[in-house]
Amino acid sequence: MWGDITRRLKRLAIVSIFAASVSAAPACAQDEAGFQTYLQQLRGTAMAQGVSRATLDSVLPTLTLNSRVIELDRRQPGGPANSGFSPFAPYKAAHVDAARIGRGRTKYLAQRPRLSRIERETGVPESIMVAIWGHETNYGAYTGNFDLLRSLASLAYEGRRRPLFEGEFIAALKMMDRGVTRDQLKGSWAGATGNPQFLPSIYLRLARDGDGDGRADIWNSEADTLASIGNYFVNAGWRAGQPWGFAVTVPAGFDRSMVRNRLVSPRCPRVFERHSGWRTIAEWRAMGIVPQGAAWPNDQVLATLMEPDGQGATAYLLTGNYRVILDYNCSNFYALSVGLLADAIAG
């Protein structure tokens, strides 16, 4: 779970760093005095971006350097692994297990009235929303206990990914200006919070009130959690009425060179390296691909082929909605598991 979160943060960091127009040089001294000096600089930046003086006065004096989160951040891989791809089956067994499916079905049935309304409004399947919740925090069982403001300020001070973490720290302060309490701002070491594990900037843009009380409480309200996940997927381009993908059997002797993807994705290239080129469902049918139980979608739907456990094992045809799941977390294993968990919950 936490590895999934940090992979998503790594992707966001790359974008932030290249977009930044300010220097992100590492701090010269990782000590408390240097951190406190940096906080005063950060006060000016936050005020210039609209954070209230009252929020800054209540937060900044309470912060101390958290060396632990700096250590965790430095352990993150700096580039793609140079070894071969690992198989999907062990990951699937751990993340699409009977316990998670069972809890998901219970949540699914309990929230059906709200879920069906959210699905009508967004076009995002109820089961997909529940599956994201299940993968991120095991349906709220563990959302993290790091003080987000202390963690984000410490990571910004360290400097390796300052544009990302400084921006998220200021976004967390803006959350407080909107009425989120300091006690609610707990989560992963790298800043993800609540049942859906939103970064503060994502919360500000996409969190939604699902129970009508006027607040977007992604920590305590299941309705708000699910509405916020649904809104995230709408924003990422989910296409209503289209599956995320489905398991297929590839015929013996299939010529994979016919469908090789010859493009290099600028985003998560190692993830998309495992996908074929796009073909219509009609074209896949003509090549002898056979679904394993699922009905074929419309012949004009575009899909890519992926064989996560190698040739001869179960393969998957993946539509554009699979790419939306990847927008939440750019990992094939994560996205496949979300889709499969959603199918099991709904089934």
Side-chain angles (χ1 to χ4, degrees), residues 201-219:
S201 62
I202 298 298
Y203 176 89
L204 292 175
R205 286 198 302 116
L206 299 175
R208 290 295 179 267
D209 172 20
D211 54 20
D213 67 356
R215 298 180 296 120
D217 184 355
I218 62 171
W219 301 270

Side-chain angles (χ1 to χ4, degrees), residues 87-106:
F88 172 55
Y91 185 97
K92 177 186 173 185
H95 291 80
V96 192
D97 57 297
R100 202 178 303 248
I101 292 169
R103 292 194 68 191
R105 285 177 176 165
T106 299

Side-chain angles (χ1 to χ4, degrees), residues 329-342:
N329 183 346
C330 204
S331 158
N332 279 314
F333 286 8
Y334 176 92
L336 279 173
S337 292
V338 165
L340 293 169
L341 179 61

Side-chain angles (χ1 to χ4, degrees), residues 239-255:
R239 296 182 181 181
Q242 192 174 108
W244 63 270
F246 50 95
V248 297
T249 299
V250 178
F254 182 75
D255 184 0

Side-chain angles (χ1 to χ4, degrees), residues 25 28 33 59 61 112-113 116 150 155 208 230 243 258 278 311 344:
C28 295
V59 170
R112 284 307 298 277
S116 61
R150 184 183 180 216
L155 291 165
R208 290 295 179 267
M258 296 188 303
W278 291 98
Q311 297 181 20

Side-chain angles (χ1 to χ4, degrees), residues 7-333:
R7 277 193 293 275
R8 183 162 76 245
L9 283 158
K10 182 169 177 276
R11 172 170 59 86
L12 289 169
I14 293 170
V15 175
S16 300
I17 289 169
F18 281 96
S21 59
V22 297
S23 171
C28 295
Q30 305 301 324
D31 56 27
E32 191 62 39
F35 179 67
Q36 294 301 325
T37 298
Y38 171 69
L39 288 182
Q40 296 312 305
Q41 300 171 4
L42 198 50
R43 169 187 281 271
T45 304
M47 288 188 67
Q49 294 188 29
V51 177
S52 71
R53 185 181 300 274
T55 293
L56 289 165
D57 288 345
S58 70
V59 170
L60 295 187
T62 71
L63 298 180
T64 56
L65 182 66
N66 188 336
S67 300
R68 174 61 176 161
V69 298
I70 293 173
E71 177 187 349
L72 289 169
D73 184 56
R74 288 176 174 172
R75 289 180 183 176
Q76 298 309 296
N82 52 21
S83 60
F85 292 112
S86 58
F88 172 55
Y91 185 97
K92 177 186 173 185
H95 291 80
V96 192
D97 57 297
R100 202 178 303 248
I101 292 169
R103 292 194 68 191
R105 285 177 176 165
T106 299
K107 295 292 186 183
Y108 178 68
L109 293 172
Q111 291 291 330
R112 284 307 298 277
R114 288 193 175 112
L115 281 166
S116 61
R117 174 179 56 79
I118 298 169
E119 180 171 345
R120 287 194 303 271
E121 293 172 354
T122 64
V124 180
E126 306 164 54
S127 56
I128 287 285
M129 293 180 266
V130 175
I132 289 287
W133 183 20
H135 267 274
E136 290 296 326
T137 58
N138 199 8
Y139 311 104
Y142 186 72
T143 58
N145 57 12
F146 282 87
D147 177 345
L148 252 63
L149 289 161
R150 184 183 180 216
S151 294
L152 291 168
S154 298
L155 291 165
Y157 168 67
E158 188 272 344
R160 188 171 75 89
R161 299 194 283 175
R162 180 166 293 174
L164 170 68
F165 290 118
E166 189 170 283
E168 294 300 336
F169 175 76
I170 292 172
L173 294 172
K174 291 179 178 179
M175 289 172 67
M176 292 186 64
D177 277 346
R178 288 191 183 184
V180 176
T181 67
R182 176 73 182 274
D183 288 343
Q184 287 177 305
L185 290 175
K186 298 288 194 297
S188 77
W189 64 264
T193 188
N195 288 310
Q197 291 292 280
F198 279 179
L199 292 172
S201 62
I202 298 298
Y203 176 89
L204 292 175
R205 286 198 302 116
L206 299 175
R208 290 295 179 267
D209 172 20
D211 54 20
D213 67 356
R215 298 180 296 120
D217 184 355
I218 62 171
W219 301 270
N220 303 300
S221 169
E222 295 185 354
D224 292 3
T225 293
L226 296 165
S228 298
I229 293 171
N231 191 49
Y232 185 104
F233 273 55
V234 169
N235 182 264
W238 186 272
R239 296 182 181 181
Q242 192 174 108
W244 63 270
F246 50 95
V248 297
T249 299
V250 178
F254 182 75
D255 184 0
R256 290 162 179 80
S257 67
M258 296 188 303
V259 296
R260 183 176 299 129
N261 181 11
R262 303 183 188 280
L263 302 176
V264 177
S265 172
R267 172 178 169 265
C268 305
R270 189 166 170 81
V271 169
F272 293 107
E273 183 182 340
R274 303 196 73 172
H275 299 200
S276 75
W278 291 98
R279 298 292 188 275
T280 66
I281 291 297
E283 289 174 307
W284 289 118
R285 291 175 65 179
M287 285 185 277
I289 301 295
V290 179
Q292 294 183 4
W296 285 108
N298 186 286
D299 274 356
Q300 300 310 307
V301 170
L302 288 167
T304 61
L305 178 70
M306 185 169 69
E307 299 175 277
D309 289 308
Q311 297 181 20
T314 295
Y316 297 87
L317 284 182
L318 308 168
T319 74
N321 281 342
Y322 178 84
R323 302 293 176 101
V324 175
I325 304 175
L326 287 175
D327 189 83
Y328 206 97
N329 183 346
C330 204
S331 158
N332 279 314
F333 286 8

